[in-house]
Structures are given as structure tokens and as C-alpha cells.
Amino acid sequence: MTKVVPHSLFSDFDIDLFKSGKHFKLYEKLGSHVVEVDGVKGTYFAVWAPTARTVSVIGDFNGWSDSEYQLYVRWDGSGIWEGFIPDLVEGTLYKYRIHSNNHGVVTEKADPFAKSCEHPPKTASIVWDASHNWKDKEWMGSRKETNALDKPYAVYEVHLGSWKRKFDNEFMSYRDLAVDLVAYVKDMNFTHVEFMPIMEYPYDPSWGYQLTGYFAPTSRFGKAEDFKFLVDTLHQNNIGVILDWVPSHFPEDAHGLGFFDGSHLYEHPDRRRGYHPDWKSLIFNYGRNEVRAFLISNAMYWLDHYHIDGLRVDAVASMLYLDYSREEGEWEPNIYGNNENLEAISFIRELNETVYSNFEGIQMIAEESTSFSMVSKPVNMGGLGFGMKWMMGWMHDTLEYFKKDPLYRKFHQNDLTFSATYAFTENFMLPFSHDEVVYGKQSLLYRMPGDEWQRFANLRLLFGYMYTHPGANLIFMGGEFGQSSEWDFQNSLDWHLLEFDFHKGIQNLVRDLNTLYKEYPALHEKQFSAEGFQWIDYGDHENSVLTYIRKGHDTKKDIYIACNFTPNPKKKYRIGIPITGSLKEIFNSDALKYGGSGLENGTLKTSKNPWHGYENSVEVSIPPLGMVVFSQ
């Protein structure tokens, strides 16, 4: 006889919403919830398993036996099993054992809606409340303004397991990071952190991109409320938080979502659409209402319960195309005969419309590597509805250019200037992410050519060019001080390198670039608009020099940039200027404090000497492998 008491948190309206795929707060109903029924405290469980014959809650409270705690299936055809178990409280370990109607298959699964999970390799779910007394009211109240698209986005991408470790190579906890990481990000003047996936995952080498606990912060670094404390502390220091989020695929681990109730419940049943050959993982069935509700509820959960300011959606390209990473014969066209995944596109649009309508001041950011149009345009204009898109083409072309010997760069200047032809087709974020410093690609520093001085000068120039190019900015941890080696997820960054002047110089430069980007409106007010950028001259291939203007709302605050991509200083280099008066140098990547040669300009007077199509011009010194920025 079951010891489960009939009880439900679902109304008929909830069930109607769930069946239609429109219930976007399923985390309030499904999963485990500590409640009181008839004066008795215990835990209510609810799980979606429509192919199940029986569903039992098993755990440390009953010796993992499925004979006593069977849930009740709802009568309404929703496929939801539920019930209340008295006296089970926070901290209880549990799973669901599901006997399927599908040929008697038996599965043993973690709770898809668990708010806490055991530390891998253990796989049980944990009944948990994760309560936290938030103190970020000021941040949340002003977020609509501070997190807007015309505000600065200087993003520091972080892998929590390897940013910094303790002396015994143990992980820092969420609360440790709330001290060290927050102080560092604030000192470096980054506006946001982006965490690589912190949702629970079983396999460390996946870096968190193979999720099994979509609603649970990984237990590697502490409890769920500890992660809330980290987010809260970041907010109290005026730092926004972006999470990597993976709705594109999930692993086949036995305790995960795959073949959940003895059927293809969450994944698409056709392997041509339900299996990812690159990552050996399963693909969500975006055409199934309940799966869409699961994923949108998950996005809502992190924005709601964890006060997250944005989600960077991983591997969007793999969702958009039916033939992504597939050979001929391994995919089937859609009803129109082309390769677009219409169900995934519909899901993405609904996702973005839903979260933007429910949360002020958040941003959805697409990691999308193809030329799919209107990714960051509103849904009502025919777009996908993201706020920003990673500018993968810019990243690739820029790194290809910088790795070339400066002697030959004059033949490849188009690698840099081409981005201006499409820079405003989307709201682009410029990413130098973790993907660019792994798998033999080398660190950013060691992709630069030349001797030691030239490598560091090139890296300083790379970052200076990045921060003055239209768009928001993202740097993966370690890049900001010129990490020499590739990223290793099993070890701390090489913080000892900051004992050396060149590395310290890179760090000083990035700190000051973040300040420049925040303090000069011309660099962010129109960062996604063609009105915010104007070439002075992009055609001086022979000298490998680029000159351009960045503009904000106030034309008196425009800034002027000159980049020299060779190791030969360009003294008395004349550039046309649309103003008269004086120019003041406000940034120079060749400054001594950055490890440069110290070729600086100070204040310069314009002259009535027509140049580059302007009536006025000015002679500037552009340092070797350097860039300079001037204001009026």
C-alpha cells in the first residue's frame, strides 16, 4: 500500500496551459515542494511521465525501494504523476523509478525540476528550498536603464571551476567567489560577468554544456542559495550577470532527460532530428508543447528566482538548421523543402517574446555562427527576437588578420574592413570567448606574431581595436592579462604571470579600456547603429593604418581613432577631421604603463588643410603596433 497522500498543486487552468505549451512557470508546480497538508509538513512531488505504468519516489528515506511510495496519475490525460509524502523535508535525496507501458522498460531518473542535485558523480535529486534574502533592490530597480542596449556591455566570461583555485587545487565556493571574483571584476571595470553553464552537469570535460539538472546550480561550488548570494553580491557592486544556457541538446546519461519514461519524451523521436552527431547528445523536440513549456519555464526560472540579467543561448545555429553538421541523406527537409527547423524557430521566437514581456531590463544573446537573418530583430518584424548576437565572423576575420606577419598585412586589410559592411545588420557582441583558446588554437597572446614585445603590442592593439569597433565586448578570463597557455578547465588561470610587467601592462590596458568604453558615450550609445560609426580612411593598405570616428548622441563628444598594424611608428600621419580646434589624446595602447614604447601625442591643433574629404586635418603620431584615441 502506498504511503503517498493524494494532493495537487495544479488547477484545471494550469493543466490546460501545460497541455497547450503555455505554462511558463512550471517550476512552481512540477518537481518537489515542501508544503503542509492538513497540518502535516512534507513534500509534494509531481513529474511528467505520460508513458508510465507506475511512478515511484525512491530515496534515502526508503532504501531506494519502489514498493511504498507510488505517485498518482492525474485523470485529465496530462501525463502528470503527483502526490504528497508526509514528513519528508528539505535535504531528502530522491529519484523517480518509472515502470513504462512501453514493453516494460524501467527507468530511474533524477527530477527534471529538481532545485538541487548531489555532487557528481552522484546523481540523486535533493528536496531543497534555496531561500535567500535578496539585497539587490537598487540594481533591479534601475536595471531597465543600466542593462539597455545603448549602455556599455564589457563582459568578462568566466568558468567558475578554473578562474582561480585554492592552494590544494580545490574549487573555490560560490561564497569564496563572491569575495575574490566580485572584487576583481569591479577593479577591472567590467560591466557584466558571463558564467559558462552553472546548471548541474555530470561530466567536467563538457565544461557544463551537457546539462542534466536544468533547474539546479551545480553543487560543485556550494548550495543553490550560495549561488544566489554570488549573484546578489555582483548586483550590489553594479555588475550584471549573464548565464550560458543550453536549450539545444542534452546528454544521454541514464539519470537525465533521455528516454525519460520509456519513450522519447523530451527528445525528438526521429534520430535525424533528435540526435546531435557532433556532441553525441539528444536534441529537444521543439514541436512538443510540453517540451517548449519546460524550456521556457527554465529560462523564466533563472530570470525570476536568481535575478539573472541575461541568457546567452548556446549553439543557436544547430537549432535553426535541420542539416546542421549532417551529410546528405542524414536529414529530412521541412514541409517547404528547405533546411530550416521551423519548430525550433517558432520555439525561439516564443521564448524571446515571453521572457522580454515578463522581465524588464534583461537581454537574450544568441551564439549563432551563420548568416541567418534578423537574429536580433523583434519577432513582430519577422526576427528571432534576441537582443544581441555574437559576431563570429568578425572574431574569425580579426584573428586571421592578426596572426599574419605585419609585413604582409597590407595585402589583407579587407579582413578588418569587411566587418563594417554588415556590422549593423544585427546587434552584435564582439566575442573573444573560451572557444578561441582551446584545442590547439593557442592563447590569444601566442596567436600574435613577432618577438615578445611585438606579441604583447599586437595583443594590446587587438583589444584596443575591439573596444573601439561598433558593438558590445566580451573577453574570456585570462585574456585580460595575456595568459600564455591555452585554457585548462582542470586548473587555475596562471595568475603568477602578473608578476611580469608585460602581463601587468595588458591587465592595466583592459582595465582602462573598460573605463573608456563606459565613460565615453560615443563608444556605446549608438554601438548597434550605423549612425555611431564613420570611416575617416579605410584604404591606406600600404601603411596598414585604419582611421575612423565613433559617435554618440552629442556630436561634440565624438571620438577619433587611429590604428597602426605595423611595427613602424607613423609620425606626423595626417588624418582628416570634421571639426576645428584641438584634439586631446584620451587613450594610447603604447603607453609605458601598458608595456609600450611611450610614443604619445598630448593635445593637438587642427589645421585648415583639407584631407580625407574633410576641410580640416591634424597630424598625429601612431605608435608601432598601436592605436590612439582622441576626443575634441
Side-chain angles (χ1 to χ4, degrees), residues 350-364:
E350 185 172 27
L351 162 72
N352 286 324
E353 281 191 313
T354 302
V355 296
Y356 275 115
S357 64
N358 278 275
F359 298 97
E360 282 194 331
I362 62 98
Q363 295 295 342
M364 298 292 285

Side-chain angles (χ1 to χ4, degrees), residues 331-348:
W331 64 283
E332 185 178 47
N334 63 30
I335 58 173
Y336 301 110
N338 65 39
N339 65 343
E340 292 183 354
N341 189 333
L342 302 178
E343 293 172 344
I345 291 169
S346 168
F347 159 73
I348 289 170

Side-chain angles (χ1 to χ4, degrees), residues 22 27 32 76-77 80 114 117 183 299 304 503 547:
K22 302 298 182 184
Y27 49 88
S32 59
D76 48 28
I80 293 172
C117 300
D304 180 7
H503 291 279
T547 50

Side-chain angles (χ1 to χ4, degrees), residues 13-84:
F13 183 58
D14 286 323
I15 295 299
D16 289 341
L17 288 176
F18 176 61
K19 288 180 177 180
S20 63
K22 302 298 182 184
H23 200 309
F24 301 137
K25 289 192 174 183
L26 288 174
Y27 49 88
E28 295 179 349
K29 308 294 179 178
L30 290 167
S32 59
H33 303 268
V34 176
V35 295
E36 190 173 295
V37 176
D38 296 332
V40 178
K41 193 173 183 180
T43 300
Y44 165 81
F45 295 90
V47 61
W48 179 49
T51 309
R53 179 167 51 85
T54 62
V55 177
S56 299
V57 181
I58 62 174
D60 57 353
F61 59 94
N62 69 349
W64 303 94
S65 167
D66 64 357
S67 59
E68 297 177 306
Y69 293 91
Q70 289 187 6
L71 299 178
Y72 298 92
V73 65
R74 290 185 62 90
W75 55 268
D76 48 28
S78 62
I80 293 172
W81 297 73
E82 60 183 353
F84 171 75

Side-chain angles (χ1 to χ4, degrees), residues 293-555:
F294 168 80
L295 287 170
I296 295 176
S297 290
N298 186 241
M300 292 277 289
Y301 176 71
W302 293 103
L303 300 170
D304 180 7
H305 281 227
Y306 285 83
H307 292 198
I308 298 304
D309 306 298
L311 298 176
R312 176 268 198 185
V313 183
D314 185 62
V316 172
S318 73
M319 301 169 66
L320 296 177
Y321 295 103
L322 297 167
D323 61 344
Y324 184 88
S325 195
R326 296 181 189 274
E327 302 295 331
E328 188 174 347
E330 295 179 345
W331 64 283
E332 185 178 47
N334 63 30
I335 58 173
Y336 301 110
N338 65 39
N339 65 343
E340 292 183 354
N341 189 333
L342 302 178
E343 293 172 344
I345 291 169
S346 168
F347 159 73
I348 289 170
R349 286 173 170 156
E350 185 172 27
L351 162 72
N352 286 324
E353 281 191 313
T354 302
V355 296
Y356 275 115
S357 64
N358 278 275
F359 298 97
E360 282 194 331
I362 62 98
Q363 295 295 342
M364 298 292 285
I365 305 165
E367 189 245 343
E368 202 284 310
S369 55
T370 75
S371 58
F372 195 95
S373 62
M374 301 181 71
V375 171
S376 59
K377 303 302 180 185
V379 172
N380 61 15
M381 292 175 56
L384 290 183
F386 285 100
M388 282 180 262
K389 170 182 170 173
W390 275 19
M391 199 175 188
M392 309 295 281
W394 171 88
M395 176 274 299
H396 178 269
D397 290 346
T398 300
L399 291 178
E400 278 295 304
Y401 178 87
F402 267 85
K403 79 177 185 181
K404 291 179 170 63
D405 188 310
L407 183 66
Y408 303 109
R409 285 178 176 173
K410 62 183 178 182
F411 303 113
H412 300 277
Q413 192 143 316
N414 186 58
D415 285 351
L416 293 183
T417 59
F418 179 67
S419 64
T421 65
Y422 67 95
F424 308 107
T425 58
E426 303 279 3
N427 299 335
F428 281 119
M429 177 177 282
L430 313 181
F432 287 135
S433 74
H434 64 276
D435 278 329
E436 307 318 311
V437 291
V438 289
Y439 298 145
K441 294 178 183 176
Q442 298 187 303
S443 65
L444 289 180
L445 178 65
Y446 275 85
R447 293 167 82 161
M448 302 295 116
D451 58 23
E452 182 183 46
W453 191 92
Q454 290 184 357
R455 283 186 191 273
F456 280 94
N458 269 304
L459 186 58
R460 294 193 300 269
L461 174 58
L462 174 68
F463 286 145
Y465 166 67
M466 172 192 188
Y467 272 80
T468 55
H469 187 285
N473 306 288
L474 178 143
I475 296 176
F476 180 58
M477 63 181 200
E480 82 282 3
F481 61 81
Q483 171 101 358
S484 302
S485 60
E486 284 191 342
W487 170 52
D488 177 7
F489 73 92
Q490 299 178 92
N491 292 290
S492 171
L493 296 178
D494 294 332
W495 293 102
H496 65 276
L497 293 175
L498 288 170
E499 298 171 10
F500 301 97
D501 289 343
F502 278 141
H503 291 279
K504 190 69 177 175
I506 296 289
Q507 186 187 54
N508 289 337
L509 174 121
V510 172
R511 181 190 292 110
D512 288 354
L513 281 171
N514 284 332
T515 302
L516 185 80
Y517 176 53
K518 288 197 292 186
E519 292 185 353
Y520 283 84
L523 287 174
H524 59 256
E525 285 184 341
K526 296 182 178 181
Q527 58 192 341
F528 304 124
S529 168
E531 297 176 354
F533 176 82
Q534 183 177 328
W535 286 115
I536 296 174
D537 182 22
Y538 61 84
D540 190 359
H541 300 262
E542 198 60 36
N543 285 301
S544 296
V545 168
L546 291 177
T547 50
Y548 48 96
I549 306 171
R550 290 296 307 277
K551 302 179 175 186
H553 299 311
D554 185 349
T555 57

Side-chain angles (χ1 to χ4, degrees), residues 218-232:
T218 178
S219 56
R220 287 167 174 81
F221 315 115
K223 298 176 181 178
E225 56 267 36
D226 297 332
F227 180 64
K228 288 182 178 179
F229 180 82
L230 172 57
V231 174
D232 200 351

Side-chain angles (χ1 to χ4, degrees), residues 266-283:
Y266 288 91
E267 68 272 22
H268 199 285
D270 186 339
R271 293 283 278 191
R272 293 173 296 180
R273 298 179 63 179
Y275 182 75
H276 201 296
D278 282 356
W279 302 316
K280 306 292 188 294
S281 54
L282 301 174
I283 301 171

